[in-house]
Amino acid sequence: MKTLIVFVLLMWAVAAHAHKPSDSYLSLDTSQPQIHGQWDIALRDLDYAIGLDSNGDSAITWGEVRTQQSAIAAYTLARLHIEASGVGCVTEVTEHLVDHHSDGTYAVLRFTVNCPRPADALDVRYGLFFDLDPQHRGLLNFTNSGGTRTAVFSPDRPTQRLDLATLSPWRSVLDFWRDGVWHIWTGYDHILFLLTLLMPAVLRRDAGHWHVVPQFRPALIETLKIVTAFTLAHSITLSLAALGTVHLPSRLVESGIAASVVCAALNNTYPVFHQSRWLVGFGFGLLHGFGFASVLADPGLPTGSLLLALVGFNTGVEAGQLAIVGSFLPLAYVVRRSWFYQRFTLVVASSLIAVLAAVWFVERALDLRLLSS
């Protein structure tokens, strides 16, 4: 019982701080004698770090960005170190631009990297925003002599060694597998939707009342139906969106995901789909797949690298999801007979989740800041 109380309170605490993780997109190309790079960084993140909105009107203009180009270059390049054979290289910005990604406008820095001697490998150390946002990730697209390698920088993996002789595709798959696990564990709206949908799996609805399932088997079967439907659905749209086949506006997707949490939570307090929740999981899973896709769609990876990244990322999401469900179901089954589970968890907690998700919906649909930091 105490364990479940801690679990619910923990879920509530992390959910109250849910926000969309930030990513930057770093490209390095060593195909030419001189290394060329491009770094796409969200203006909202730069504004939080160094302050771009000089007139405080909550809108960052090109003029405001242009007056801060030196500060942007100094701040970002101080957090990117490239070494060849243990000797530091000199990085110099050659051009400032802006570009639009699925989640907003990004500053684009084009730069050159001059290393004092030829090398068999480059060591890249990345530290952008890690001191401000531990959830920030840097997605690297590295090109050398026609080959491509992708990688993900994070606070626990800030350095990557890039071998110039061979570019192992499996390193890219492993990097994005880890990122997929991280993405589902920090995607609190995805977790809340799935767990809220699974809460009644250890119960059955009869004559307008919830009753406990007598054995673990029916709870397991119900869980497998919901998880399989959700997984299949978000895998379909994740693949379609990552490959550029289908695109939906980020605000629409994120608002829809918040609405899906509201619907799943309200369905626990006012059951409508108590025998076909797998259909709810499949329907809203299609929307959640678009939410996962921005990680892969925005870096502009070449097709071969994108497919490897997609395989690694999607299997990572499934592994992280399996770990969450595998922890939740046995615990819920053990306490399913208790007042705490049938009243507090299923009714009170679901109602609180519905209210919280409704606030997310308003924030995302109207681009407001009510709870999210």
Side-chain angles (χ1 to χ4, degrees):
M1 176 73 73
K2 291 181 179 178
T3 304
L4 191 57
I5 293 174
V6 171
F7 175 79
V8 172
L9 292 177
L10 179 62
M11 286 303 301
W12 177 258
V14 296
H17 294 86
H19 65 282
K20 192 177 187 301
S22 75
D23 299 313
S24 81
Y25 308 107
L26 176 65
S27 299
L28 294 175
D29 184 355
T30 61
S31 301
Q32 304 175 48
Q34 190 178 40
I35 301 173
H36 291 263
Q38 177 171 314
W39 204 354
D40 292 24
I41 307 168
L43 287 182
R44 65 174 184 277
D45 294 336
L46 285 170
D47 181 45
Y48 183 76
I50 61 176
L52 299 180
D53 185 13
S54 57
N55 60 7
D57 64 350
S58 301
I60 303 172
T61 65
W62 168 240
E64 289 171 323
V65 174
R66 190 167 51 189
T67 60
Q68 296 275 15
Q69 286 179 346
S70 297
I72 293 172
Y75 179 83
T76 55
L77 294 187
R79 288 157 178 80
L80 179 67
H81 300 278
I82 300 175
E83 294 183 355
S85 301
V87 179
C89 305
V90 176
T91 305
E92 182 178 2
V93 174
T94 58
E95 192 173 15
H96 287 267
L97 303 167
V98 292
D99 194 10
H100 296 283
H101 287 251
S102 64
D103 58 343
T105 306
Y106 280 56
V108 178
L109 281 74
R110 289 180 176 166
F111 57 90
T112 57
V113 182
N114 294 292
C115 299
R117 68 181 71 163
D120 296 328
L122 295 177
D123 292 298
V124 182
R125 188 166 73 253
Y126 179 107
L128 185 67
F129 301 139
F130 289 160
D131 55 334
L132 302 174
D133 181 4
Q135 295 190 26
H136 175 79
R137 294 294 185 271
L139 306 182
L140 172 66
N141 180 22
F142 175 64
T143 305
N144 179 55
S145 301
T148 301
R149 192 198 143 187
T150 54
V152 181
F153 295 102
S154 63
D156 59 335
R157 286 178 292 118
T159 302
Q160 294 279 351
R161 164 155 284 218
L162 307 173
D163 293 320
L164 301 182
T166 58
L167 299 177
S168 170
W170 299 113
R171 290 285 301 274
S172 302
V173 174
L174 180 59
D175 271 353
F176 275 92
W177 183 88
R178 289 172 176 154
D179 199 50
V181 174
W182 168 85
H183 200 84
I184 189 69
W185 274 90
T186 58
Y188 305 128
D189 43 7
H190 303 296
I191 295 174
L192 271 187
F193 171 75
L194 186 58
L195 292 185
T196 304
L197 206 58
L198 289 177
M199 282 180 187
V202 295
L203 306 170
R204 61 180 173 82
R205 188 79 175 174
D206 188 18
H209 298 282
W210 291 110
H211 304 274
V212 299
V213 294
Q215 297 177 326
F216 186 72
R217 180 182 171 82
L220 177 61
I221 291 175
E222 179 68 10
T223 300
L224 289 176
K225 287 166 59 179
I226 294 172
V227 172
T228 301
F230 180 68
T231 300
L232 177 62
H234 74 62
S235 296
I236 291 172
T237 46
L238 167 61
S239 301
L240 292 175
L243 295 173
T245 306
V246 180
H247 173 76
L248 291 180
S250 174
R251 181 179 292 187
L252 175 63
V253 171
E254 296 300 324
S255 302
I257 290 173
S260 74
V261 180
V262 174
C263 293
L266 290 179
N267 192 53
N268 290 346
T269 54
Y270 304 99
V272 176
F273 296 98
H274 52 87
Q275 289 185 329
S276 54
R277 290 194 307 281
W278 67 272
L279 283 175
V280 178
F282 184 86
F284 282 120
L286 294 171
L287 197 58
H288 283 248
F290 286 106
F292 293 135
S294 63
V295 174
L296 301 175
D298 282 334
L301 301 176
T303 303
S305 299
L306 179 59
L307 290 175
L308 291 174
L310 177 60
V311 170
F313 184 80
N314 201 23
T315 54
V317 168
E318 309 316 336
Q321 180 178 282
L322 187 60
I324 293 169
V325 174
S327 302
F328 170 79
L329 181 60
L331 185 61
Y333 181 75
V334 168
V335 299
R336 71 193 189 285
R337 298 180 186 278
S338 66
W339 173 91
F340 177 82
Y341 191 81
Q342 295 188 25
R343 296 294 183 183
F344 182 82
T345 302
L346 192 64
V347 178
V348 178
S350 292
S351 299
L352 294 175
I353 289 171
V355 172
L356 176 65
V359 175
W360 289 347
F361 175 80
V362 173
E363 283 188 329
R364 297 173 183 184
L366 303 180
D367 196 21
L368 299 175
R369 293 288 184 94
L370 301 176
L371 287 178
S372 305
S373 59

